[in-house]
Amino acid sequence: MAKTRRLIAERLRQVDAVCEILDARIPASSRNPDVAGLTAGKPRLIILNRADQADPDATARWGDFFRAAGYAVLVTDAKSGRGAGKFAAAVRELLADKLRAYAEKGQSGRVARVMVLGIPNVGKSTFINRVAGRNVAKAEDRPGVTRAGQWVPVDRRLELLDTPGILWPKFGDEAVGMRLAFTGAVKDEILDTETLGCHFMAYLAAAAPERLREAYKLPDVPPRDAAETEVGYGFRLLEAAGRKRGFLLPGGEIDTERMARILLDEYRAGKLGRLTLDSPE
Ligand code: G4P
């Protein structure tokens, strides 16, 4: 991260504004913890991407939260393109004072430059492709690979700079790591799929029990026993859901690993409905 910090700090001098792309399902967990401080001196725009997968009420509350903190906010679904068409106008509005000052100096044709930041899997490449209207080379997310920042024209007066370096999420905070794993932003190897599924089941039982009931035809979602661990509780729910789905192993045991995989796949594919895991409150 030290290297990325340095690269961002160097390139910040060349841009007029910063656009930070977040996953609208996890706007807090998908933020790199250094970016807010690093970019404090610039006009800033937050993109709540993957809005098609997030709860619309939660997205509206997150929008209010970031606006109150001084950011411009744009809600997008880069996959379908919804919202992306408003990007250039949002940047011009954010930079209105600066652009007016340029015009007064006779530099109205000056190109506005925006640095686009985002941790892997928020949809940054898809977003850049959308707003630039063509296929730009896919950013390299592998660790250790240096990425020379490239300028990507959006129109005659707006250019983007893709993240110089790799921005990591907030590792070290267990709840954050878990949410990144639930959404698939970090790979399942961090925890084995079954254990991750247990945690997600326990999370859903507390945060959205009605979704569990509907998706897995459970008559009720039992509360967690006082003596039960979170994983133990989630396992019990995985068994209940797996039983309903008929996921049986040869000996008649329930295939909880398969159920865990299905649960995570179905959430990521939107089959549990639009569900936001971080709350601004
Ligand atoms: P990154 O650069 O931030 O790492 O992410 P990238 O654009 O590569 O997007 C990662 C995956 O997320 C892609 O799916 C992409 O289509 C999807 N995606 C990006 N933005 C959105 C969005 O707003 N909504 C939804 N639902 N999905 C989004 P993929 O599985 O890798 O490919 P594909 O399924 O599109 O073929």
Side-chain angles (χ1 to χ4, degrees), residues 26-54:
I26 45 169
S29 304
S30 62
R31 270 199 111 177
N32 171 285
D34 294 333
V35 165
L38 263 173
T39 61
K42 293 281 174 185
R44 294 181 289 186
L45 170 65
I46 293 266
I47 307 279
L48 293 170
N49 189 44
R50 293 186 177 276
D52 56 306
Q53 297 177 302

PDB file of all heavy atoms in Angstrom, residues 26-54:
ATOM      1  N   ILE A  26     -21.734  -2.669  -0.160  1.00  0.00           N
ATOM      2  CA  ILE A  26     -20.840  -2.540   1.003  1.00  0.00           C
ATOM      3  C   ILE A  26     -20.021  -1.244   0.901  1.00  0.00           C
ATOM      4  O   ILE A  26     -18.795  -1.272   0.798  1.00  0.00           O
ATOM      5  CB  ILE A  26     -19.886  -3.771   1.121  1.00  0.00           C
ATOM      6  CG1 ILE A  26     -19.264  -4.143  -0.243  1.00  0.00           C
ATOM      7  CG2 ILE A  26     -20.584  -4.966   1.729  1.00  0.00           C
ATOM      8  CD1 ILE A  26     -18.120  -5.177  -0.134  1.00  0.00           C
ATOM      9  N   PRO A  27     -20.706  -0.093   0.937  1.00  0.00           N
ATOM     10  CA  PRO A  27     -19.978   1.172   0.724  1.00  0.00           C
ATOM     11  C   PRO A  27     -18.877   1.426   1.755  1.00  0.00           C
ATOM     12  O   PRO A  27     -17.872   2.060   1.433  1.00  0.00           O
ATOM     13  CB  PRO A  27     -21.069   2.236   0.815  1.00  0.00           C
ATOM     14  CG  PRO A  27     -22.329   1.516   0.479  1.00  0.00           C
ATOM     15  CD  PRO A  27     -22.152   0.133   1.060  1.00  0.00           C
ATOM     16  N   ALA A  28     -19.046   0.936   2.975  1.00  0.00           N
ATOM     17  CA  ALA A  28     -17.986   1.137   3.980  1.00  0.00           C
ATOM     18  C   ALA A  28     -16.870   0.115   3.784  1.00  0.00           C
ATOM     19  O   ALA A  28     -15.686   0.465   3.763  1.00  0.00           O
ATOM     20  CB  ALA A  28     -18.568   1.026   5.385  1.00  0.00           C
ATOM     21  N   SER A  29     -17.245  -1.132   3.602  1.00  0.00           N
ATOM     22  CA  SER A  29     -16.233  -2.195   3.519  1.00  0.00           C
ATOM     23  C   SER A  29     -15.436  -2.140   2.219  1.00  0.00           C
ATOM     24  O   SER A  29     -14.311  -2.635   2.163  1.00  0.00           O
ATOM     25  CB  SER A  29     -16.899  -3.569   3.646  1.00  0.00           C
ATOM     26  OG  SER A  29     -17.643  -3.649   4.837  1.00  0.00           O
ATOM     27  N   SER A  30     -16.002  -1.543   1.167  1.00  0.00           N
ATOM     28  CA  SER A  30     -15.276  -1.501  -0.103  1.00  0.00           C
ATOM     29  C   SER A  30     -14.467  -0.214  -0.259  1.00  0.00           C
ATOM     30  O   SER A  30     -13.982   0.094  -1.345  1.00  0.00           O
ATOM     31  CB  SER A  30     -16.238  -1.679  -1.288  1.00  0.00           C
ATOM     32  OG  SER A  30     -17.193  -0.634  -1.334  1.00  0.00           O
ATOM     33  N   ARG A  31     -14.299   0.522   0.834  1.00  0.00           N
ATOM     34  CA  ARG A  31     -13.468   1.743   0.797  1.00  0.00           C
ATOM     35  C   ARG A  31     -12.074   1.428   1.281  1.00  0.00           C
ATOM     36  O   ARG A  31     -11.908   0.842   2.355  1.00  0.00           O
ATOM     37  CB  ARG A  31     -14.024   2.782   1.766  1.00  0.00           C
ATOM     38  CG  ARG A  31     -15.026   3.695   1.162  1.00  0.00           C
ATOM     39  CD  ARG A  31     -15.189   4.940   1.990  1.00  0.00           C
ATOM     40  NE  ARG A  31     -14.658   6.090   1.271  1.00  0.00           N
ATOM     41  CZ  ARG A  31     -14.719   7.333   1.720  1.00  0.00           C
ATOM     42  NH1 ARG A  31     -15.221   7.585   2.913  1.00  0.00           N
ATOM     43  NH2 ARG A  31     -14.235   8.311   1.005  1.00  0.00           N
ATOM     44  N   ASN A  32     -11.099   1.845   0.537  1.00  0.00           N
ATOM     45  CA  ASN A  32      -9.740   1.755   1.056  1.00  0.00           C
ATOM     46  C   ASN A  32      -9.598   2.811   2.146  1.00  0.00           C
ATOM     47  O   ASN A  32      -9.974   3.964   1.952  1.00  0.00           O
ATOM     48  CB  ASN A  32      -8.734   1.998  -0.073  1.00  0.00           C
ATOM     49  CG  ASN A  32      -7.321   2.121   0.465  1.00  0.00           C
ATOM     50  OD1 ASN A  32      -6.953   3.137   1.040  1.00  0.00           O
ATOM     51  ND2 ASN A  32      -6.541   1.081   0.299  1.00  0.00           N
ATOM     52  N   PRO A  33      -9.065   2.420   3.312  1.00  0.00           N
ATOM     53  CA  PRO A  33      -9.056   3.354   4.441  1.00  0.00           C
ATOM     54  C   PRO A  33      -8.156   4.576   4.248  1.00  0.00           C
ATOM     55  O   PRO A  33      -8.338   5.583   4.930  1.00  0.00           O
ATOM     56  CB  PRO A  33      -8.545   2.490   5.597  1.00  0.00           C
ATOM     57  CG  PRO A  33      -7.887   1.309   4.976  1.00  0.00           C
ATOM     58  CD  PRO A  33      -8.544   1.088   3.652  1.00  0.00           C
ATOM     59  N   ASP A  34      -7.214   4.515   3.312  1.00  0.00           N
ATOM     60  CA  ASP A  34      -6.294   5.651   3.128  1.00  0.00           C
ATOM     61  C   ASP A  34      -6.820   6.719   2.175  1.00  0.00           C
ATOM     62  O   ASP A  34      -6.333   7.847   2.174  1.00  0.00           O
ATOM     63  CB  ASP A  34      -4.950   5.156   2.574  1.00  0.00           C
ATOM     64  CG  ASP A  34      -4.224   4.274   3.571  1.00  0.00           C
ATOM     65  OD1 ASP A  34      -4.455   4.450   4.781  1.00  0.00           O
ATOM     66  OD2 ASP A  34      -3.442   3.415   3.131  1.00  0.00           O
ATOM     67  N   VAL A  35      -7.793   6.349   1.355  1.00  0.00           N
ATOM     68  CA  VAL A  35      -8.172   7.247   0.261  1.00  0.00           C
ATOM     69  C   VAL A  35      -8.765   8.564   0.751  1.00  0.00           C
ATOM     70  O   VAL A  35      -8.427   9.635   0.237  1.00  0.00           O
ATOM     71  CB  VAL A  35      -9.132   6.527  -0.728  1.00  0.00           C
ATOM     72  CG1 VAL A  35      -9.818   7.521  -1.641  1.00  0.00           C
ATOM     73  CG2 VAL A  35      -8.348   5.520  -1.557  1.00  0.00           C
ATOM     74  N   ALA A  36      -9.614   8.483   1.769  1.00  0.00           N
ATOM     75  CA  ALA A  36     -10.263   9.714   2.241  1.00  0.00           C
ATOM     76  C   ALA A  36      -9.208  10.751   2.645  1.00  0.00           C
ATOM     77  O   ALA A  36      -9.295  11.921   2.266  1.00  0.00           O
ATOM     78  CB  ALA A  36     -11.208   9.406   3.395  1.00  0.00           C
ATOM     79  N   GLY A  37      -8.205  10.310   3.394  1.00  0.00           N
ATOM     80  CA  GLY A  37      -7.151  11.227   3.842  1.00  0.00           C
ATOM     81  C   GLY A  37      -6.284  11.715   2.693  1.00  0.00           C
ATOM     82  O   GLY A  37      -5.967  12.900   2.590  1.00  0.00           O
ATOM     83  N   LEU A  38      -5.932  10.775   1.823  1.00  0.00           N
ATOM     84  CA  LEU A  38      -5.044  11.111   0.701  1.00  0.00           C
ATOM     85  C   LEU A  38      -5.628  12.152  -0.236  1.00  0.00           C
ATOM     86  O   LEU A  38      -4.915  12.969  -0.801  1.00  0.00           O
ATOM     87  CB  LEU A  38      -4.817   9.843  -0.137  1.00  0.00           C
ATOM     88  CG  LEU A  38      -3.556   9.023   0.107  1.00  0.00           C
ATOM     89  CD1 LEU A  38      -3.630   7.731  -0.698  1.00  0.00           C
ATOM     90  CD2 LEU A  38      -2.316   9.814  -0.266  1.00  0.00           C
ATOM     91  N   THR A  39      -6.948  12.105  -0.420  1.00  0.00           N
ATOM     92  CA  THR A  39      -7.583  12.936  -1.442  1.00  0.00           C
ATOM     93  C   THR A  39      -8.286  14.156  -0.847  1.00  0.00           C
ATOM     94  O   THR A  39      -9.023  14.855  -1.552  1.00  0.00           O
ATOM     95  CB  THR A  39      -8.627  12.107  -2.235  1.00  0.00           C
ATOM     96  OG1 THR A  39      -9.635  11.646  -1.331  1.00  0.00           O
ATOM     97  CG2 THR A  39      -7.986  10.913  -2.924  1.00  0.00           C
ATOM     98  N   ALA A  40      -8.050  14.411   0.449  1.00  0.00           N
ATOM     99  CA  ALA A  40      -8.815  15.441   1.165  1.00  0.00           C
ATOM    100  C   ALA A  40      -8.789  16.806   0.486  1.00  0.00           C
ATOM    101  O   ALA A  40      -9.741  17.568   0.587  1.00  0.00           O
ATOM    102  CB  ALA A  40      -8.327  15.542   2.600  1.00  0.00           C
ATOM    103  N   GLY A  41      -7.729  17.126  -0.244  1.00  0.00           N
ATOM    104  CA  GLY A  41      -7.640  18.468  -0.829  1.00  0.00           C
ATOM    105  C   GLY A  41      -8.346  18.629  -2.168  1.00  0.00           C
ATOM    106  O   GLY A  41      -8.319  19.713  -2.751  1.00  0.00           O
ATOM    107  N   LYS A  42      -8.972  17.575  -2.677  1.00  0.00           N
ATOM    108  CA  LYS A  42      -9.552  17.618  -4.031  1.00  0.00           C
ATOM    109  C   LYS A  42     -11.074  17.579  -4.001  1.00  0.00           C
ATOM    110  O   LYS A  42     -11.658  16.971  -3.104  1.00  0.00           O
ATOM    111  CB  LYS A  42      -9.086  16.384  -4.824  1.00  0.00           C
ATOM    112  CG  LYS A  42      -7.609  16.360  -5.124  1.00  0.00           C
ATOM    113  CD  LYS A  42      -7.277  17.260  -6.294  1.00  0.00           C
ATOM    114  CE  LYS A  42      -5.770  17.338  -6.469  1.00  0.00           C
ATOM    115  NZ  LYS A  42      -5.394  18.287  -7.529  1.00  0.00           N
ATOM    116  N   PRO A  43     -11.720  18.163  -5.001  1.00  0.00           N
ATOM    117  CA  PRO A  43     -13.158  17.922  -5.156  1.00  0.00           C
ATOM    118  C   PRO A  43     -13.358  16.420  -5.397  1.00  0.00           C
ATOM    119  O   PRO A  43     -12.615  15.813  -6.166  1.00  0.00           O
ATOM    120  CB  PRO A  43     -13.523  18.719  -6.415  1.00  0.00           C
ATOM    121  CG  PRO A  43     -12.414  19.710  -6.591  1.00  0.00           C
ATOM    122  CD  PRO A  43     -11.176  19.064  -6.031  1.00  0.00           C
ATOM    123  N   ARG A  44     -14.352  15.850  -4.707  1.00  0.00           N
ATOM    124  CA  ARG A  44     -14.479  14.389  -4.756  1.00  0.00           C
ATOM    125  C   ARG A  44     -15.884  13.924  -5.091  1.00  0.00           C
ATOM    126  O   ARG A  44     -16.873  14.486  -4.625  1.00  0.00           O
ATOM    127  CB  ARG A  44     -14.061  13.799  -3.405  1.00  0.00           C
ATOM    128  CG  ARG A  44     -12.589  14.022  -3.138  1.00  0.00           C
ATOM    129  CD  ARG A  44     -12.162  13.429  -1.830  1.00  0.00           C
ATOM    130  NE  ARG A  44     -12.685  14.147  -0.684  1.00  0.00           N
ATOM    131  CZ  ARG A  44     -12.344  13.860   0.574  1.00  0.00           C
ATOM    132  NH1 ARG A  44     -11.526  12.872   0.826  1.00  0.00           N
ATOM    133  NH2 ARG A  44     -12.850  14.556   1.566  1.00  0.00           N
ATOM    134  N   LEU A  45     -15.904  12.879  -5.890  1.00  0.00           N
ATOM    135  CA  LEU A  45     -17.172  12.273  -6.313  1.00  0.00           C
ATOM    136  C   LEU A  45     -17.149  10.808  -5.902  1.00  0.00           C
ATOM    137  O   LEU A  45     -16.179  10.102  -6.171  1.00  0.00           O
ATOM    138  CB  LEU A  45     -17.274  12.390  -7.838  1.00  0.00           C
ATOM    139  CG  LEU A  45     -18.394  11.640  -8.554  1.00  0.00           C
ATOM    140  CD1 LEU A  45     -19.767  12.179  -8.161  1.00  0.00           C
ATOM    141  CD2 LEU A  45     -18.213  11.761 -10.079  1.00  0.00           C
ATOM    142  N   ILE A  46     -18.205  10.394  -5.221  1.00  0.00           N
ATOM    143  CA  ILE A  46     -18.351   8.977  -4.872  1.00  0.00           C
ATOM    144  C   ILE A  46     -19.317   8.343  -5.861  1.00  0.00           C
ATOM    145  O   ILE A  46     -20.396   8.886  -6.106  1.00  0.00           O
ATOM    146  CB  ILE A  46     -18.946   8.810  -3.450  1.00  0.00           C
ATOM    147  CG1 ILE A  46     -17.970   9.298  -2.388  1.00  0.00           C
ATOM    148  CG2 ILE A  46     -19.419   7.369  -3.210  1.00  0.00           C
ATOM    149  CD1 ILE A  46     -17.081   8.265  -1.769  1.00  0.00           C
ATOM    150  N   ILE A  47     -18.904   7.221  -6.434  1.00  0.00           N
ATOM    151  CA  ILE A  47     -19.797   6.455  -7.294  1.00  0.00           C
ATOM    152  C   ILE A  47     -20.278   5.249  -6.498  1.00  0.00           C
ATOM    153  O   ILE A  47     -19.455   4.442  -6.038  1.00  0.00           O
ATOM    154  CB  ILE A  47     -19.059   5.927  -8.550  1.00  0.00           C
ATOM    155  CG1 ILE A  47     -18.344   7.038  -9.297  1.00  0.00           C
ATOM    156  CG2 ILE A  47     -20.018   5.131  -9.440  1.00  0.00           C
ATOM    157  CD1 ILE A  47     -19.183   7.851 -10.203  1.00  0.00           C
ATOM    158  N   LEU A  48     -21.579   5.152  -6.307  1.00  0.00           N
ATOM    159  CA  LEU A  48     -22.133   3.949  -5.677  1.00  0.00           C
ATOM    160  C   LEU A  48     -22.513   3.016  -6.815  1.00  0.00           C
ATOM    161  O   LEU A  48     -23.603   3.108  -7.384  1.00  0.00           O
ATOM    162  CB  LEU A  48     -23.327   4.305  -4.790  1.00  0.00           C
ATOM    163  CG  LEU A  48     -22.985   5.144  -3.546  1.00  0.00           C
ATOM    164  CD1 LEU A  48     -24.251   5.652  -2.858  1.00  0.00           C
ATOM    165  CD2 LEU A  48     -22.130   4.338  -2.552  1.00  0.00           C
ATOM    166  N   ASN A  49     -21.572   2.144  -7.169  1.00  0.00           N
ATOM    167  CA  ASN A  49     -21.787   1.238  -8.305  1.00  0.00           C
ATOM    168  C   ASN A  49     -22.416  -0.066  -7.818  1.00  0.00           C
ATOM    169  O   ASN A  49     -22.482  -0.314  -6.616  1.00  0.00           O
ATOM    170  CB  ASN A  49     -20.451   0.971  -9.012  1.00  0.00           C
ATOM    171  CG  ASN A  49     -20.643   0.224 -10.311  1.00  0.00           C
ATOM    172  OD1 ASN A  49     -21.539   0.553 -11.101  1.00  0.00           O
ATOM    173  ND2 ASN A  49     -19.842  -0.795 -10.550  1.00  0.00           N
ATOM    174  N   ARG A  50     -22.838  -0.890  -8.732  1.00  0.00           N
ATOM    175  CA  ARG A  50     -23.554  -2.141  -8.418  1.00  0.00           C
ATOM    176  C   ARG A  50     -24.882  -1.820  -7.711  1.00  0.00           C
ATOM    177  O   ARG A  50     -25.347  -2.607  -6.878  1.00  0.00           O
ATOM    178  CB  ARG A  50     -22.716  -3.057  -7.522  1.00  0.00           C
ATOM    179  CG  ARG A  50     -21.471  -3.616  -8.180  1.00  0.00           C
ATOM    180  CD  ARG A  50     -20.806  -4.612  -7.245  1.00  0.00           C
ATOM    181  NE  ARG A  50     -19.655  -5.238  -7.851  1.00  0.00           N
ATOM    182  CZ  ARG A  50     -19.720  -6.292  -8.659  1.00  0.00           C
ATOM    183  NH1 ARG A  50     -20.886  -6.843  -8.924  1.00  0.00           N
ATOM    184  NH2 ARG A  50     -18.638  -6.807  -9.177  1.00  0.00           N
ATOM    185  N   ALA A  51     -25.437  -0.653  -8.033  1.00  0.00           N
ATOM    186  CA  ALA A  51     -26.682  -0.247  -7.387  1.00  0.00           C
ATOM    187  C   ALA A  51     -27.805  -1.227  -7.704  1.00  0.00           C
ATOM    188  O   ALA A  51     -28.758  -1.360  -6.938  1.00  0.00           O
ATOM    189  CB  ALA A  51     -27.062   1.164  -7.825  1.00  0.00           C
ATOM    190  N   ASP A  52     -27.690  -1.913  -8.838  1.00  0.00           N
ATOM    191  CA  ASP A  52     -28.715  -2.907  -9.193  1.00  0.00           C
ATOM    192  C   ASP A  52     -28.754  -4.066  -8.192  1.00  0.00           C
ATOM    193  O   ASP A  52     -29.746  -4.766  -8.093  1.00  0.00           O
ATOM    194  CB  ASP A  52     -28.448  -3.468 -10.601  1.00  0.00           C
ATOM    195  CG  ASP A  52     -27.050  -4.072 -10.733  1.00  0.00           C
ATOM    196  OD1 ASP A  52     -26.074  -3.366 -10.412  1.00  0.00           O
ATOM    197  OD2 ASP A  52     -26.935  -5.250 -11.135  1.00  0.00           O
ATOM    198  N   GLN A  53     -27.651  -4.262  -7.460  1.00  0.00           N
ATOM    199  CA  GLN A  53     -27.581  -5.377  -6.515  1.00  0.00           C
ATOM    200  C   GLN A  53     -27.843  -4.924  -5.078  1.00  0.00           C
ATOM    201  O   GLN A  53     -27.941  -5.747  -4.173  1.00  0.00           O
ATOM    202  CB  GLN A  53     -26.191  -6.017  -6.588  1.00  0.00           C
ATOM    203  CG  GLN A  53     -25.878  -6.626  -7.946  1.00  0.00           C
ATOM    204  CD  GLN A  53     -24.469  -7.173  -8.002  1.00  0.00           C
ATOM    205  OE1 GLN A  53     -23.502  -6.453  -7.777  1.00  0.00           O
ATOM    206  NE2 GLN A  53     -24.343  -8.454  -8.287  1.00  0.00           N
ATOM    207  N   ALA A  54     -27.911  -3.614  -4.874  1.00  0.00           N
ATOM    208  CA  ALA A  54     -28.044  -3.076  -3.514  1.00  0.00           C
ATOM    209  C   ALA A  54     -29.486  -2.674  -3.227  1.00  0.00           C
ATOM    210  O   ALA A  54     -30.276  -2.438  -4.150  1.00  0.00           O
ATOM    211  CB  ALA A  54     -27.125  -1.861  -3.360  1.00  0.00           C
TER     212      ALA A  54
END
